[in-house]
Each structure stands twice: as C-alpha cells, then as structure tokens.
Amino acid sequence: AGPGNPPVLVDGTGCLDKAARDVIQGGGYDNNLLCIGEKQVFVLDKYADRFMEGLKKAGAAQLNASQIEKLAAAAFTFTKDAGGCSHAAVNRKLVGADASELARQAGTSVPATTPIVFGETDAEHLFVLEEQMMPMIPVVRVKSIEHGIEAALKSEHGYKHSAIIHSLNVDHMTLMARALDTTLFIKNGPSVDG
C-alpha cells in the first residue's frame, strides 16, 4: 500500500450511465477509504453533462460550486513545513465520513442512503489534487483525450498506483495505460474490480 489518487477518464465512447454506476460503486465503496477508489473524474466536455446526469440517476447527489467550496474548507486544513511553505492536509475528522455528513458540511442535506456527492471543479482544485478518502468525487471537463490523460497524470502525482478508464477505444486505453503506468489499470469497470 501507499499513497494513491486514482483518476478516472471517461471519453464518451462507452455507456455513460454504466461509467457513472461504476464510479459510484468504486468511489462509494467503504466511503472511498480504499487507496484504489475513484478520487476524481476527467470527462470529455461534450459528454460531461450526460455523465453527471448518469451519476444523479444512479443515486449520487450533486453539489453546486459554493457547496463544494464550503465542503473543501471543512475537508482540508493547511500546515506549514520547516521552510514556511503551506501544504494541504485532509481533515481526519471527515476521512471515511459518509456522503450525508459531507453534504451537511457543505450546507445541504441528502438522504442517508446517498453513496457519493459530486460536483464540477477545475483540474487544480484540492479535491482533484489531494487524496481525500471521502465519498466526494470532483468531475473535471477536458477538451480532448490528450488533455484528459495529461490532467489525470498530474492528479495521480506519479504514484503509479491505480487509474481507471471508461472507453471502447483501444487506442485511448493504450495511451492512458502507457502515460500513467500504474500498478492497477481498470478498463470499463469500478476500481474494486482491480
């Protein structure tokens, strides 16, 4: 085991509803405590709205931008290293918290049975770059498969742990597998299939 911040890439060539269900299954399992669990999703822009609709149809709850920022303020703390540089750290009180607690921290409420909360962010958001270990999945729009792989690689930090792709395009699968070079590389399934 070790640090992991597994990215997901959705290129729209496969079933978007299945991809959404798989992200919920993997990212919602044990409140996303597993290091292999889906932590952030990069989706080609023209498919992003349909993918997020699939998340909602499968039981996930969407947070708006202000709710995401309120949750981020509760989910992360900042510490200074010996050189005085500030670094984000996960608020341990929320590690493993369920989606309804995360929603409460965001200033809203969801049913207790909600598997994950999600919301749209940019690629530089703390929820994308930090391994948060809670059932909050940021969704990032990307312009192309190359842009998505580049963003996934940056968010994975070279840990070479786990990555997931939802695609029927073998060339896209190969490009991502080679770029990220992770121990676990799951295609068209939830992370827990790995």
Side-chain angles (χ1 to χ4, degrees), residues 121-190:
T121 72
D122 63 40
E124 302 299 318
H125 198 280
L126 282 173
F127 276 121
V128 173
L129 297 176
E130 298 295 324
E131 183 188 18
Q132 76 274 38
M133 296 181 291
M134 58 189 74
M136 163 50 190
I137 306 290
V139 177
V140 179
R141 293 173 188 264
V142 293
K143 298 178 289 236
S144 65
I145 191 70
E146 294 80 11
H147 178 228
I149 291 170
E150 180 183 319
L153 181 61
K154 181 178 180 182
S155 74
E156 205 272 334
H157 302 294
Y159 294 144
K160 300 196 178 294
H161 196 297
S162 303
I164 301 99
I165 189 169
H166 291 276
S167 174
L168 298 181
N169 186 309
V170 175
D171 290 338
H172 292 175
M173 294 179 207
T174 303
L175 283 170
M176 186 172 176
R178 287 184 177 156
L180 274 77
D181 192 27
T182 51
T183 301
L184 293 176
F185 185 66
I186 295 89
K187 297 175 281 291
N188 300 310

Side-chain angles (χ1 to χ4, degrees), residues 23-65:
V23 165
I24 290 171
Q25 183 181 350
Y29 182 84
D30 204 15
N31 289 335
N32 211 357
L33 277 176
L34 297 182
C35 53
I36 63 167
E38 288 83 342
K39 301 294 192 257
Q40 63 278 346
V41 178
F42 301 95
V43 59
L44 266 64
D45 183 49
K46 65 182 177 179
Y47 303 107
D49 290 333
R50 284 180 31 217
F51 173 74
M52 289 187 281
E53 282 303 314
L55 289 172
K56 289 190 275 191
K57 281 195 300 191
Q62 186 170 12
L63 301 179
N64 64 35

Side-chain angles (χ1 to χ4, degrees), residues 63-79:
L63 301 179
N64 64 35
S66 64
Q67 291 166 335
I68 292 169
E69 293 316 309
K70 189 170 183 181
L71 176 57
F76 298 99
T77 59
F78 291 87
T79 58

